[in-house]
Amino acid sequence: MSVITETLVEDGQFGTLTVRLDTERGEVVVEGAAVPRIVLSRSAGTEAEEHVPVGTRAADRLMLTVDGEETQVRPAKGRLTRRSYAVDVRHAGHVWRLLPDSVPDSRLLRDGRRLGEFTSQGNGEVSAEWHEDAAPEALDVGLGYALAAGFGTGAQPMWMLVVDAIGDLVP
């Protein structure tokens, strides 16, 4: 079943952004007057994984463009640790990383410097809180919203997963 969510977000520094998530096509589009157009999409014909909003974490089945220019996106596999849910982007000599911080949130870093936190439950709705001294640029904003919408944010700590697994084994 196709679920298309289009949300208008008021970013305090970059104005109104549109975040559109199409789970059937496996596509996220982020655009606004003050940010570059970001498109994250799953390869056509690729089977969608239900737990990933864009439908896959396989880098070879994803394409990311910044104003039409193809950009490298590398999501980790998403296993036991929070770090295994990281998503990296390389573009224009910089590296961005979206990395879970807590159960609901992920932090966005550019070249290792923390810019802010994002929250998205994988339904296309995204909120961001920028660090006061971070001074995010337009590309940071577009990429942050696109990655949060496409992969969701947050992850449980490993100890919590272990407790859940043990609980599932006990009758």
Side-chain angles (χ1 to χ4, degrees):
M1 180 173 92
S2 179
V3 176
I4 300 173
T5 307
E6 187 167 295
T7 307
L8 291 178
V9 177
E10 234 2 272
D11 185 84
Q13 297 187 36
F14 287 87
T16 303
L17 307 173
T18 301
V19 178
R20 185 173 58 80
L21 170 64
D22 182 335
T23 57
E24 184 176 329
R25 289 182 62 195
E27 182 178 77
V28 175
V29 178
V30 175
E31 51 195 345
V35 298
R37 185 174 198 265
I38 309 291
V39 179
L40 173 64
S41 57
R42 183 180 76 238
S43 299
T46 301
E47 185 85 18
E49 299 171 27
E50 284 186 32
H51 63 280
V52 182
V54 77
T56 187
R57 294 186 69 86
D60 62 340
R61 296 180 181 157
L62 290 167
M63 184 168 70
L64 178 70
T65 61
V66 175
D67 275 342
E69 180 183 340
E70 196 166 333
T71 301
Q72 184 183 43
V73 60
R74 297 264 183 240
K77 298 289 183 197
R79 302 276 188 235
L80 287 177
T81 65
R82 285 186 175 157
R83 185 170 298 282
S84 75
Y85 286 92
V87 180
D88 293 332
V89 171
R90 292 183 183 279
H91 179 75
H94 296 285
V95 177
W96 287 263
R97 173 170 274 192
L98 185 71
L99 179 67
D101 246 3
S102 63
V103 173
D105 301 325
S106 291
R107 65 182 176 254
L108 180 67
L109 303 114
R110 180 187 356 106
D111 300 328
R113 185 166 178 252
R114 191 177 194 142
L115 300 174
E117 283 77 42
F118 284 81
T119 303
S120 179
Q121 297 177 356
N123 59 2
E125 295 181 18
V126 180
S127 64
E129 186 174 315
W130 301 104
H131 280 233
E132 195 170 300
D133 62 341
E137 297 174 7
L139 183 53
D140 303 326
V141 173
L143 285 172
Y145 279 95
L147 296 176
F151 297 102
T153 59
Q156 291 184 341
M158 190 171 15
W159 69 265
M160 196 178 246
L161 294 171
V162 170
V163 168
D164 285 347
I166 291 170
D168 289 344
L169 295 174
V170 177

